[in-house]
Amino acid sequence: AQESSTSSLACLPVAIGMRAVRRFAAGAARPIRARGFSSGAEASGGSNALPAFVVGAGAGAFGYYQYDQSQPKTGIAEPHKLKLILFGAPGSGKGTQCEKLTALFGVKHISTGDLLREHVKNGTALGKQAKEFMDKGALVPDSLVIDLLKDAVKDAPKGWIIDGMPRTAVQAEFMQKEGLVPDCFLTLDVPDSVLEERICGRRLDPETGAIYHLKFKPPPKEIVSRLTHRSDDTADKLKNRLKAYHDNLDSVLGVYRSANLYTAINANRSPDAVYGDLVGNTLKARLNKWAGA
């Protein structure tokens, strides 16, 4: 009875948080007012009162943590791990959003490209198998990539966010069969014309790995001379990359639509607005899973 009560109480702040997050994502972003509390701006008659999203994300994350702590730990599998697949074209802001979600929920970010390179570099058994195909210029088989993912999620006690997979319907179905089933499949939607402006202005700092943008995120003047421009961050090459992205997305949407896991996010907005939408949909997916658990 006590465990049931704990779970119910944990879901309460998540439900309150969800309402606030939905208001923020819908553009309402009205301040949350509580007795005895107001932001300085609100007290002075300003318009910068505490946004609903801040309260929503905080309450939701707190509820998620409390509920997770109330669950029995079997030592074999965590029944309430957070599992997300985030899909986005080059320049959609996927890297930024993965970083934020990873920090908020404490989950592991798994990029299939980085994962493959890491295994090859470290000379693991799976990496050696993958290198044989890469050296021949052949595609790494789906079964091997899935094995890499299955190995990566073992070291993800709180859950995971996968990006870079699946790229085909066959891969999506294979992932489902192997237990790599997300709570939700989220796409970051941005018009191709906007993506071109974002991509072509990107610059990389080879010393720190930081990515800047000449217009949207200007680099410090003292490092401008050492920045590099990726060879595929050009308009011509971007067209091919976007075509590949759209082809990949079209091929996997059916799998996640039929499972009622797909949600499209308008990512042609500020990073904070996109983040609010992602958090809201993630918490909604968690609530649905808890209700059906």
Side-chain angles (χ1 to χ4, degrees), residues 125-268:
L126 291 173
K128 289 177 181 178
Q129 293 179 52
K131 190 173 186 300
E132 290 181 9
F133 292 95
M134 296 167 69
D135 288 345
K136 296 175 184 176
L139 292 175
V140 178
D142 291 345
S143 59
L144 183 51
V145 178
I146 299 297
D147 284 342
L148 289 169
L149 287 175
K150 288 170 64 178
D151 181 69
V153 300
K154 291 177 183 177
D155 184 27
K158 292 182 179 293
W160 42 258
I161 301 175
I162 292 177
D163 82 68
M165 280 281 283
R167 297 181 181 233
T168 66
V170 172
Q171 289 179 349
E173 292 166 356
F174 199 176
M175 287 175 68
Q176 299 280 89
K177 291 177 182 177
E178 292 297 319
L180 295 169
V181 182
D183 298 329
C184 50
F185 177 87
L186 301 159
T187 61
L188 299 177
D189 294 354
V190 182
D192 286 0
S193 58
V194 175
L195 291 172
E196 181 175 337
E197 181 180 24
R198 291 184 181 182
I199 285 292
C200 294
R202 289 198 308 197
R203 297 295 185 272
L204 171 69
D205 182 350
E207 292 189 10
T208 65
I211 296 177
Y212 297 94
H213 192 281
L214 298 180
K215 177 179 179 181
F216 303 119
K217 187 184 176 182
K221 292 182 180 180
E222 61 269 20
I223 70 168
V224 170
S225 61
R226 74 172 185 236
L227 299 182
T228 60
H229 188 201
R230 276 178 47 169
S231 60
D232 55 351
D233 279 355
T234 62
D236 288 340
K237 292 187 177 180
L238 179 61
K239 289 178 182 177
N240 294 330
R241 294 167 68 191
L242 289 178
K243 182 180 184 307
Y245 167 76
H246 290 304
D247 289 345
N248 293 341
L249 180 59
D250 290 343
S251 69
V252 304
L253 273 186
V255 175
Y256 297 106
R257 266 203 181 110
S258 63
N260 199 30
L261 297 174
Y262 165 62
T263 299
I265 304 294
N266 174 14
N268 190 23

Side-chain angles (χ1 to χ4, degrees), residues 21-36:
V21 171
R22 281 195 296 268
R23 286 172 54 194
F24 177 86
R30 293 188 293 274
I32 295 293
R33 295 177 175 83
R35 181 174 296 179

Side-chain angles (χ1 to χ4, degrees), residues 40-41 52-53 57 69 91 97 104 113 139 141 155 158 171 242 244 269 286 289:
F53 163 65
Q69 293 300 306
Q97 298 302 336
L104 177 63
L139 292 175
D155 184 27
K158 292 182 179 293
Q171 289 179 349
L242 289 178
R269 298 175 293 163
R286 297 305 294 154
K289 193 157 190 174

Side-chain angles (χ1 to χ4, degrees), residues 31-109:
I32 295 293
R33 295 177 175 83
R35 181 174 296 179
F37 174 81
S38 66
S39 70
E42 184 182 358
S44 63
S47 61
N48 294 322
L50 186 66
F53 163 65
V54 175
V55 176
F62 173 75
Y64 174 86
Y65 172 79
Q66 291 294 326
Y67 183 83
D68 179 70
Q69 293 300 306
S70 73
Q71 299 306 300
K73 303 300 187 285
T74 65
I76 299 173
E78 296 293 339
H80 294 287
K81 288 183 178 181
L82 179 63
K83 304 171 185 178
L84 303 175
I85 293 180
L86 190 60
F87 229 68
S92 63
K94 180 161 54 71
T96 297
Q97 298 302 336
C98 279
E99 184 177 333
K100 290 185 173 185
L101 292 172
T102 298
L104 177 63
F105 293 109
V107 296
K108 181 178 182 179
H109 175 210

Side-chain angles (χ1 to χ4, degrees), residues 104-127:
L104 177 63
F105 293 109
V107 296
K108 181 178 182 179
H109 175 210
I110 303 172
S111 167
T112 52
D114 292 343
L115 187 63
L116 188 60
R117 287 186 287 271
E118 180 183 346
H119 274 266
V120 171
K121 179 181 178 181
N122 294 335
T124 66
L126 291 173

